[in-house]
Amino acid sequence: MDTKKILIITYYWPPAGGPGVQRWLKFVKYLPDFDIQPIVYIPENPTYPIVDANLGKEVSDKAIVLKQKIFEPYQLASVFSKNKTKKISSGIIPNQKKQTFLEKTMLWVRGNLFIPDARVFWVKPSVKYLEKYIVENKIDTIITSGPPHSLHLIGLVLKQKLKVTWFADFRDPWTTIGYHKSLKLSAKAENKHKALEFRVLNTADTIIVTSKTTKSEFRAITNKPIAVITNGFDTEPLTTVTLDSKFSLAHIGSFLSERNPTILWESLTELLQEIPDFKNHLELKLIGAVSQEVLDTISRFNLERYLNNLGYVSHSEAVAHQRNSQVLLLIEIDSAETKSIIPGKLFEYMVSNRPIIAIGPKDSDFAEIITETNTGVFFEYTEKEKLKHTIKSYYNQFLEGKLQSYGVGLQKYSRKNLTKELSKLIHSKV
C-alpha cells in the first residue's frame, strides 16, 4: 500500500501541556505504522496556558511540522492580568457570583467578539498558506481538531476551495460544552455559534467525536458520517512503583469550580470523625490547576491539613503520581451538558492499577467505560452514602495492603489500537 499524506491542523502541540495536546501527538506517533504520512500544521507563536517542555521528545521524527504565526488576543489581555487571562484561556472560569469586573469583561469579550474563539484571527492567513501547500504537495485529505473550533473554520474554507476530503475531529463538543453558558453570550452571538457549528457539521465529509453522547447530539444536526474514536492510553516506560505510604486520594488535571464535589468533602469529614486512625493516613493530592473555590471549600470542611496541592507537573510526573497514589479521583461537572465528556486522563488512570473513584452526572459516558473495564466505581452527586462506604472499603483494603484495581479489556483503548481505527477511516475515504 502506498503511503498516504494527510494534513492535520491542530492548535495544541508540544510544548503545550495538558490534555488537549495528547490526542494528536499520539495519533501522529502511530500513523506512519499504518502507511500514513502525518503533516502537522500548528501556530508558530501560540499562547499556551500550560507548558510541558518534556513532551517535545515525544514528537514523531516521521512527522512533518509546519508553522505559521498567529495573532493571539490573550497576549494583549495578559497586559491587564496575566493570571486571570491564563486561567480563562485554560478553561478555569471563576464562580459567577465571585467574578470581578475584569473577569466578567474578559468573558463577555471572549464569548461575543471572538467567535467561535480567540484563535479566529488565524483562519484567513492559514487558509492562504495551506491552500498553496496542499496543491503543491498533492494532499487530498485534511483533519481539523478542536477546540479551539476556529480550526474547523480553516477546514471549512479549504473544503470549499479545494477537492479535499475533510475530517472534523471534536475532542469536546461546541455549543453544548459546559463552559459555553458562562461566556455571557448575546442572542446574536449564540446564534452565530450555532450557525457555524451547523455549517461545519454539514460540510465536513466525516465527523470524529470522542463519546457516544456527542455523536447523538451531532446526529440531530447532521446526516454526515460520525465516528466515535475515544482518547486512550499510551505505553509508558515501566518503572518500579512505590505506593504512597498515606491513604492518598489523587486528582490529576484541572479542578474547576463547577467540579467541586461536596459529597466527597462531606464523606471524608464524616470518616475522620468515625474512624480514629483515618486522620493519620489521609492525604488529598491535587495535581494541576485548582480553582480557588475548590480550595476554599476544602478549608471550609477543615480538610486543608490533609491537602497536598502540587500544582502543575510534567506529563511524566503526572503518570508517576497516577501509579503511586492509593486512589484516583475523577470528577466531572454535575450537568446534562457534561454527560458526553470523557476526560482524557481516565484512560491513563485505567492502566495505573489504582482504583478510580469517579463522580459525575447520571448517564455519563465515562461511567460505562469504568464499569465495563472494572477499574473503579462511579457515583452520581446524590450518592453520598454509597461513596462514603466505598472510601471506607478502599481504606480497609489499604490497611491490609490489598488495595488494587483489576482492569479487564483495556487494550482496545491503547493509542496504537485507536490509531489503527483512525487509519481505517482515512484509508476508506480514498
Side-chain angles (χ1 to χ4, degrees):
M1 184 184 291
D2 293 335
T3 299
K4 181 179 180 61
K5 293 188 289 188
I6 62 167
L7 175 67
I8 299 160
I9 302 168
T10 183
Y11 180 81
Y12 294 103
W13 193 253
V21 68
Q22 292 290 327
R23 183 171 173 83
W24 283 97
L25 176 63
K26 302 301 185 180
F27 279 148
V28 167
K29 175 181 177 180
Y30 292 114
L31 279 171
D33 294 344
F34 301 100
D35 301 304
I36 294 174
Q37 166 66 65
I39 302 165
V40 186
Y41 176 72
I42 59 172
E44 185 177 334
N45 57 324
T47 301
Y48 292 140
I50 300 173
V51 171
D52 186 344
N54 292 331
L55 287 181
K57 301 171 188 173
E58 298 191 33
V59 177
S60 170
D61 58 5
K62 297 179 182 177
I64 297 170
V65 179
L66 312 174
K67 298 180 181 181
Q68 285 288 296
K69 287 188 175 180
I70 183 173
F71 167 66
E72 292 267 36
Y74 284 128
Q75 292 173 344
L76 297 178
S78 65
V79 172
F80 299 98
S81 177
K82 187 173 183 179
N83 187 46
K84 287 182 171 59
T85 301
K86 188 175 181 179
K87 284 187 175 182
I88 289 174
S89 67
S90 64
I92 296 183
I93 296 177
N95 186 293
Q96 191 166 354
K97 295 178 181 178
K98 298 181 180 180
Q99 288 172 9
T100 65
F101 175 76
L102 177 59
E103 288 168 337
K104 290 178 181 178
T105 302
M106 290 172 69
L107 285 169
W108 185 91
V109 169
R110 156 69 178 85
N112 293 273
L113 300 187
F114 303 139
I115 300 175
D117 49 64
R119 279 81 192 205
V120 69
F121 299 101
W122 201 40
V123 175
K124 285 186 178 179
S126 295
V127 168
K128 183 179 179 181
Y129 172 78
L130 292 175
E131 185 178 4
K132 184 172 183 287
Y133 186 90
I134 288 169
V135 172
E136 290 179 350
N137 292 274
K138 297 181 172 59
I139 296 168
D140 60 10
T141 302
I142 65 172
I143 299 175
T144 55
S145 180
H149 298 305
S150 287
L151 275 64
H152 295 314
L153 303 189
I154 299 173
L156 180 68
V157 180
L158 290 174
K159 175 67 180 176
Q160 293 168 338
K161 285 175 169 279
L162 305 169
K163 291 182 178 180
V164 291
T165 300
W166 172 29
F167 294 86
D169 175 62
F170 285 82
R171 301 188 317 277
D172 286 321
W174 188 329
T175 58
T176 58
I177 197 165
Y179 63 73
H180 198 70
K181 292 188 290 188
S182 302
L183 296 178
K184 306 182 187 302
L185 299 176
S186 66
K188 182 179 178 181
E190 177 71 36
N191 289 335
K192 188 170 182 180
H193 274 283
K194 289 182 177 178
L196 288 174
E197 179 186 48
F198 181 88
R199 286 183 64 197
V200 166
L201 291 176
N202 285 280
T203 305
D205 293 282
T206 299
I207 314 299
I208 303 173
V209 296
T210 58
S211 74
K212 293 192 300 184
T213 297
T214 301
K215 179 177 180 176
S216 297
E217 291 173 352
F218 283 175
R219 179 54 64 225
I221 303 173
T222 182
N223 290 320
K224 291 297 183 81
I226 304 175
V228 178
I229 301 179
T230 67
N231 289 309
F233 64 87
D234 203 9
T235 51
E236 304 285 351
L238 289 175
T239 56
T240 303
V241 175
T242 303
L243 292 175
D244 293 341
S245 58
K246 294 275 192 178
F247 180 60
S248 52
L249 280 64
H251 181 278
I252 298 167
S254 297
F255 212 147
L256 310 181
S257 304
E258 294 85 354
R259 287 180 184 155
N260 200 352
T262 302
I263 62 166
L264 175 61
W265 315 135
E266 288 178 348
S267 297
L268 293 175
T269 300
E270 290 176 15
L271 288 171
L272 284 165
Q273 294 169 349
E274 296 168 11
I275 305 173
D277 285 341
F278 195 55
K279 64 180 182 295
N280 298 322
H281 295 124
L282 178 63
E283 179 186 18
L284 273 173
K285 287 168 65 175
L286 304 186
I287 300 161
V290 183
S291 77
Q292 189 58 49
E293 285 81 6
V294 170
L295 295 175
D296 289 345
T297 306
I298 289 172
S299 294
R300 181 160 54 85
F301 279 91
N302 296 315
L303 295 170
E304 68 270 24
R305 74 188 71 177
Y306 309 102
L307 178 63
N308 185 4
N309 188 5
L310 296 168
Y312 183 78
V313 302
S314 69
H315 180 251
S316 58
E317 290 177 274
V319 169
H321 280 294
Q322 287 165 12
R323 294 175 176 174
N324 296 342
S325 301
Q326 296 290 347
V327 178
L328 299 174
L329 298 172
L330 188 66
I331 317 293
E332 194 44 80
I333 299 169
D334 187 20
S335 164
E337 287 88 356
T338 58
K339 289 192 303 180
S340 65
I341 302 298
I342 303 177
K345 63 184 171 234
L346 166 63
F347 303 96
E348 291 183 343
Y349 273 19
M350 292 192 316
V351 291
S352 67
N353 292 325
R354 309 314 306 153
I356 301 168
I357 285 179
I359 303 172
K362 184 179 181 181
D363 299 324
S364 295
D365 285 348
F366 71 88
E368 182 179 335
I369 294 174
I370 289 173
T371 301
E372 75 173 20
T373 58
N374 192 45
T375 48
V377 186
F378 172 83
F379 306 91
E380 296 175 28
Y381 275 79
T382 56
E383 298 180 305
K384 192 195 86 172
E385 289 306 315
K386 180 182 170 187
L387 170 62
K388 181 179 167 184
H389 175 78
T390 298
I391 296 173
K392 186 175 181 179
S393 173
Y394 283 168
Y395 176 61
N396 288 332
Q397 292 174 54
F398 158 77
L399 292 177
E400 296 170 2
K402 297 179 180 179
L403 182 58
Q404 188 178 341
S405 75
Y406 298 90
V408 295
L410 301 180
Q411 199 53 37
K412 76 175 188 177
Y413 295 109
S414 75
R415 295 282 189 183
K416 187 158 187 175
N417 276 339
L418 293 166
T419 307
K420 183 178 181 180
E421 294 303 309
L422 174 64
S423 69
K424 287 179 183 177
L425 202 60
I426 293 169
H427 284 303
S428 72
K429 294 293 182 178
V430 174

